[in-house]
Amino acid sequence: MGTLAIGAGLAMAGAALGIGIGQGFAVGKGLEGMSRQPELSGKIQTSMIVGMAIMETIGVLAFVISIMLTGKIG
Amino acid sequence: MSVEELGPRVILNLCGGKLQITESTLGCIIVAFVLAIVFIYLGSGLKEVPKGKQIWAELIVEKIYGLTEENMGKENLWFAPYVGTLFSFILIGSALGLIGIRPITADVNVTFALSILTFLIIQFFGWKTHGFKGKIKEMCDPYPFMFPLKIIEDCTLPVSLGFRLYGNILGGMVIVDLWLGLMTKLSNYLTTIPFLRFATALPLNGFFDMFEPVIQTFIFTMLTMTFLAIALRKEEN
């Protein structure tokens, strides 16, 4: 049973690591573009947020998996 | 709301437990009715010169039409009512945690119903605008062996749309619940009254019940519009 709990934690940890790095890149590049062209900031911000949400899907899928795993512990 | 049982509570068992009416089913019906009543009230008795409630109605309609036109182009503007309905339903449904009700989109059945509806609309209008031959030709582009990959790509769209909304709202709900449980435990060391629950969850509520639903709703409708626009796009040549 203990391995299930470790697996659930590891699923979240791996996903969060990747997403953190990916979203950091996205925001950094987005801010770079915004500071270079402030008149386009609205458009850049929209596509940045949508892109970040698509990245976040992986984390959410990992979250769903770890919830399924925690449900099996009891 | 409790963390021990993540699914929605069953309120009514029909047909010997085969058909269950859960919290989210009831919540969906109530939200749909409330939205219908509010929007019918806002849209009734329109006048040439806007006054009072008509200003709000015009603001909402203008914003939705503007968003649709920006993402889908002028020729697809007739999708705006669908986009607006989706937007208001998901927004109100996800923000229900503010008044202490379980958010209806924290149920995988509700989010999958919405995403499969989007999937069906995309497929229907995609096949309708391109025709059978044109759609097959488009799916075999650039190489014929891409065909199975395109089918998989189409089928992952409702899964990712549904799970994204479900996971985000459920995650927020779980975190707020865990915090409230911790506060109850901490205040139990001093008195039997869980006084620490009062107002300490407000920042969490602000993030998970106000900010997150707006972002997630925006993303759901945005992706719906983007994929619809891709499916409806005609070849230039």
Side-chain angles (χ1 to χ4, degrees):
Chain A
M1 287 298 127
T3 48
L4 276 178
I6 293 173
L10 273 183
M12 266 331 285
L17 183 72
I19 297 162
I21 295 170
Q23 289 196 339
F25 271 120
V27 175
K29 291 284 173 192
L31 285 179
E32 231 172 65
M34 270 185 239
S35 58
R36 203 179 298 134
Q37 281 157 308
E39 67 274 8
L40 281 179
S41 56
K43 257 187 174 170
I44 293 174
Q45 199 171 23
T46 312
S47 39
M48 188 181 84
I49 288 177
V50 170
M52 278 166 66
I54 291 172
M55 269 181 249
E56 221 174 75
T57 315
I58 305 161
V60 169
L61 290 182
F63 174 69
V64 171
I65 288 172
S66 56
I67 278 187
M68 283 175 177
L69 284 179
T70 16
K72 281 188 181 167
I73 289 176
Chain B
M1 288 199 293
S2 89
V3 181
E4 278 79 44
E5 37 188 80
L6 280 169
R9 276 193 298 263
V10 176
I11 293 173
L12 207 62
N13 267 320
L14 297 176
C15 307
K18 276 182 195 147
L19 184 66
Q20 295 175 331
I21 305 289
T22 57
E23 260 180 314
S24 31
T25 319
L26 199 65
C28 277
I29 296 169
I30 291 172
V31 168
F33 264 101
V34 168
L35 278 179
I37 290 168
V38 167
F39 284 140
I40 287 171
Y41 168 72
L42 281 178
S44 61
L46 297 180
K47 291 189 193 75
E48 195 79 16
V49 181
K51 210 181 104 189
K53 66 183 166 65
Q54 199 183 338
I55 295 173
W56 292 100
E58 281 187 5
L59 182 77
I60 295 169
V61 171
E62 228 165 67
K63 285 274 176 223
I64 298 284
Y65 272 76
L67 196 68
T68 314
E69 193 184 334
E70 194 182 314
N71 287 297
M72 292 176 69
K74 236 188 169 73
E75 68 276 8
N76 295 325
L77 204 57
W78 54 281
F79 273 109
Y82 174 65
V83 171
T85 313
L86 209 58
F87 195 93
S88 46
F89 185 75
I90 300 177
L91 183 64
I92 302 297
S94 309
L96 279 179
L98 271 183
I99 49 173
I101 302 174
R102 187 195 155 88
I104 54 175
T105 41
D107 184 355
V108 79
N109 300 306
V110 177
T111 57
F112 263 73
L114 293 171
S115 65
I116 287 171
L117 187 66
T118 291
F119 171 73
L120 289 180
I121 285 176
I122 288 172
Q123 291 304 319
F124 178 76
F125 286 106
W127 289 90
K128 201 179 157 196
T129 41
H130 291 286
F132 186 73
K133 226 173 154 187
K135 185 78 180 173
I136 295 284
K137 203 174 159 195
E138 194 200 273
M139 286 174 97
C140 287
D141 188 57
Y143 303 111
F145 65 80
M146 295 284 277
F147 187 70
L149 286 179
K150 292 260 173 153
I151 291 179
I152 294 172
E153 190 190 323
D154 277 353
C155 291
T156 50
L157 165 74
V159 176
S160 72
L161 263 185
F163 267 136
R164 179 182 302 121
L165 184 59
Y166 162 70
N168 274 296
I169 304 299
L170 182 79
M173 198 189 80
V174 168
I175 290 170
V176 172
D177 263 12
L178 284 175
W179 177 261
L180 287 178
L182 175 72
M183 285 301 114
T184 315
K185 217 162 211 175
L186 281 184
S187 49
N188 271 351
Y189 286 123
L190 301 170
T191 56
T192 51
I193 307 162
F195 64 96
L196 276 174
R197 282 175 74 127
F198 173 70
T200 48
L202 274 183
L204 288 176
N205 267 330
F207 186 78
F208 289 115
D209 291 330
M210 289 169 84
F211 179 69
E212 196 86 345
V214 173
I215 293 280
Q216 291 308 320
T217 310
F218 184 67
I219 282 156
F220 195 100
T221 45
M222 193 64 128
L223 288 178
T224 300
M225 283 188 288
T226 313
F227 283 112
L228 255 175
I230 291 172
L232 290 172
R233 195 170 48 204
K234 286 243 171 75
E235 290 291 318
E236 296 297 321
N237 46 17

